[in-house]
Amino acid sequence: MRTHLLAIALALAAPLAAHAQSADLVLCDRVAADPSDPDKPADVKGVAEIAASDVATAIKFCKQAAGSSRRAMFALGRAYAANRQTAEAIAAWRKAADKGSSAAMVELGVLYGTGAGVAKDEAQARKLFEKAAQAGNPRGVSNLAALGSAGGAAPADPAQARALLGKAAETNAEAQYQLGLMLSEGDGGAKDDVAARALFEKAAAQNHPGALERMGAFAQEGRGGPKDKDAAKAYYERAAALGDEDAKKALERIRCPYAIKDKQGKLVTTLCF
């Protein structure tokens, strides 16, 4: 009889424990998930920076969820970093990276690339960015492309970066934006304003500030598609509302299109409407 009751108790305890773990991850996600983490589910918004008032909560619940979730382990590293516990952050990111977290690989790569908290090692940074890029992480791709030469190695290959971004751009707004920039500037291959505009439009539909600003510029200039000043202004306004400084400047230029200069060519004033 006692054995039977114990079995029932254990059976009931299992789903309760699973539910508790799930609750820990939900709370961890709420205060510490990274918006750019490819592991993040679509319904989790994430936070660009962990609020100071949420750091203790993030550490508590992400630590409890980290045992069974690499996403939580990565977020725990973010929480430690926000709390200026650099050694603990690095340890958490190493564990998350070992479990396959490309976001953790990128963070470790940034540390090695800048020498923050670890000895500067651009070769190790490149290795981590390459691994993250191969996993489809757009930050890994863009950081790899920006790294340049390391320890006498050849400069980052723009063509390779473009190919890797192509894979990530299937689902990721940041990758769509980065690939759009490469196509619009002819980096790593042929220049293609039509394809660039299509990528900016996809990312803009997901409220990517940089893509919204680029769509404004492309619509204003008629690059890769029709010229439409009203659409350009609308794109700039959406980007500016999200804090994009280039979009704010573009709106000011639209408002004040005429510059009056003196004989030396110095700006005297602008005419605004």
Side-chain angles (χ1 to χ4, degrees):
M1 183 65 174
R2 288 180 180 177
T3 302
H4 180 65
L5 290 173
L6 179 60
I8 293 174
L10 289 173
L12 289 171
L16 287 173
H19 177 74
Q21 179 66 28
S22 176
D24 291 335
L25 184 56
V26 167
L27 287 166
C28 173
D29 279 338
R30 186 177 300 169
V31 295
D34 187 336
S36 68
D37 184 0
D39 284 341
K40 180 185 67 63
D43 61 345
V44 174
K45 184 178 180 181
V47 292
E49 294 183 6
I50 300 174
S53 58
D54 289 334
V55 167
T57 300
I59 291 174
K60 176 182 178 180
F61 290 104
C62 292
K63 184 184 292 186
Q64 290 173 188
S68 59
S69 169
R70 73 186 188 190
R71 183 171 86 250
M73 184 64 77
F74 166 64
L76 176 61
R78 294 189 79 213
Y80 280 136
N83 206 38
R84 301 182 183 276
Q85 293 176 256
T86 305
E88 290 84 352
I90 292 171
W93 284 333
R94 287 193 195 283
K95 290 178 182 177
D98 288 343
K99 293 180 179 180
S101 168
S102 63
M105 295 171 198
V106 171
E107 293 299 339
L108 288 171
V110 170
L111 295 181
Y112 277 111
T114 58
V118 294
K120 188 172 182 178
D121 187 340
E122 289 190 358
Q124 182 64 15
R126 176 184 293 276
K127 184 178 178 181
L128 286 160
F129 290 149
E130 284 178 344
K131 193 171 181 181
Q134 288 164 3
N137 188 301
R139 286 186 65 212
V141 176
S142 56
N143 285 349
L144 178 62
L147 190 59
S149 60
D157 184 351
Q160 180 192 30
R162 186 187 277 207
L164 291 168
L165 276 172
K167 179 182 177 182
E170 293 174 6
T171 57
N172 186 276
E174 177 64 21
Q176 290 158 6
Y177 169 66
Q178 293 290 344
L179 181 56
L181 289 177
M182 296 194 80
L183 289 167
S184 68
E185 295 166 7
D187 290 341
K191 184 175 179 178
D192 189 337
D193 279 351
V194 174
R197 184 167 177 155
L199 286 162
F200 290 143
E201 190 169 15
K202 283 184 180 179
Q206 300 167 70
N207 285 323
H208 187 289
L212 285 164
E213 186 277 330
R214 284 293 81 203
M215 273 305 299
F218 271 50
Q220 186 177 16
E221 299 165 17
R223 287 182 64 181
K227 190 172 184 177
D228 189 331
K229 291 184 178 180
D230 290 337
K233 185 179 179 183
Y235 278 121
Y236 285 142
E237 286 173 343
R238 287 172 61 192
L242 293 170
D244 189 278
E245 294 300 324
D246 288 335
K248 293 177 184 178
K249 292 174 183 177
L251 282 173
E252 186 63 17
R253 287 194 296 271
I254 289 174
R255 192 177 73 86
C256 305
Y258 299 108
I260 297 176
K261 299 180 180 180
D262 61 18
K263 292 180 180 180
Q264 286 73 43
K266 295 180 180 179
L267 181 66
V268 176
T269 187
T270 55
L271 296 179
C272 303
F273 301 97

